[in-house]
Amino acid sequence: MSEQPGRDRHRWKTLLLAIATLIIVFAAVVTVVAFAGRLDQIGFLRFPLGFYLLAQGLLIGMVALAFWSTRVQERIDRSFSEGEEL
């Protein structure tokens, strides 16, 4: 711990957000890959669902997750910059 507890809390929350984001991405990829064969039995836009999720769906989800993560990070930054100097 440093002499600046505000900075330490900011770094800790930022680290937790990054870890959570990576866990969500990893879990989504593993889930889709593990169940791709079963998902291929379901059709979506005339494509097998497993194929679509691996080709486009995960990418769309990751972009949405990036926007969410950025929004949460901005909220963290704002909350710590109001009270203390980083």
Side-chain angles (χ1 to χ4, degrees):
M1 297 296 261
S2 70
E3 295 177 7
Q4 299 174 335
R7 181 173 288 195
D8 291 338
R9 284 192 306 271
H10 180 267
R11 287 181 181 168
W12 181 249
K13 284 195 172 196
T14 300
L15 177 65
L16 288 177
L17 177 63
I19 291 171
T21 304
L22 289 173
I23 288 172
I24 291 169
V25 167
F26 181 73
V29 169
V30 168
T31 302
V32 171
V33 169
F35 294 107
R38 293 183 193 148
L39 290 172
D40 280 341
Q41 296 172 358
I42 302 169
F44 181 74
L45 298 176
R46 296 187 184 176
F47 291 103
L49 183 59
F51 171 77
Y52 182 80
L53 286 176
L54 288 171
Q56 295 294 322
L58 285 174
L59 295 175
I60 293 168
M62 286 182 198
V63 169
L65 184 65
F67 278 102
W68 171 81
S69 178
T70 302
R71 184 174 174 207
V72 172
Q73 182 63 50
E74 287 176 353
R75 203 176 310 146
I76 291 170
D77 293 343
R78 238 182 283 119
S79 70
F80 281 101
S81 67
E82 289 174 0
E84 301 178 27
E85 186 68 30
L86 295 178

